[in-house]
């Protein structure tokens, strides 16, 4: 039996990814790390859609996947002004 992320754990993982990518972007003066972080975070929500307790699971999973697509779009479209 594999242990899967909860909603809270997945959000925390996203915050950690954001902190690491911000640090790398500022240290190396390359904004690509921020874009990669957005794409990774979006893929997390697409491949493992979780929703808070109390939400309808099917509707919540659908919304989580849409949010993942939005995150990926941000990572592909936005050029962050670092460096």
């Amino acid at each position: 039996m594999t242990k899967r992320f909860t909603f809270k754990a997945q959000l925390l993982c996203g915050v950690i990814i954001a902190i690491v990518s911000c640090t790398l972007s500022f240290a190396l003066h390359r904004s690509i790390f921020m874009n990669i972080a957005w794409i990774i975070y979006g893929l997390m929500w697409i491949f493992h859609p979780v929703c808070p307790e109390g939400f309808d699971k099917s509707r919540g999973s659908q919304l989580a996947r849409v949010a993942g697509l939005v995150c990926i779009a941000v990572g592909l479209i936005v050029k962050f002004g670092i460096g």
Side-chain angles (χ1 to χ4, degrees), residues 15-78:
V15 169
I16 291 169
I17 289 171
I19 290 170
V20 169
S21 68
C22 276
T23 304
L24 283 172
S25 292
F26 286 123
L28 301 175
H29 300 287
R30 300 280 183 234
S31 63
I32 190 72
F33 295 109
M34 290 293 292
N35 296 84
I36 291 170
W38 276 95
I39 293 169
I40 290 170
Y41 191 59
L43 288 172
M44 283 175 48
W45 287 102
I46 289 174
F47 290 116
H48 185 260
V50 290
C51 56
E53 290 182 19
F55 269 59
D56 177 32
K57 294 292 182 191
S58 63
R59 179 82 172 136
S61 294
Q62 201 174 33
L63 290 174
R65 285 192 170 107
V66 170
L69 288 174
V70 170
C71 290
I72 290 172
V74 167
L76 293 174
I77 295 170
V78 175

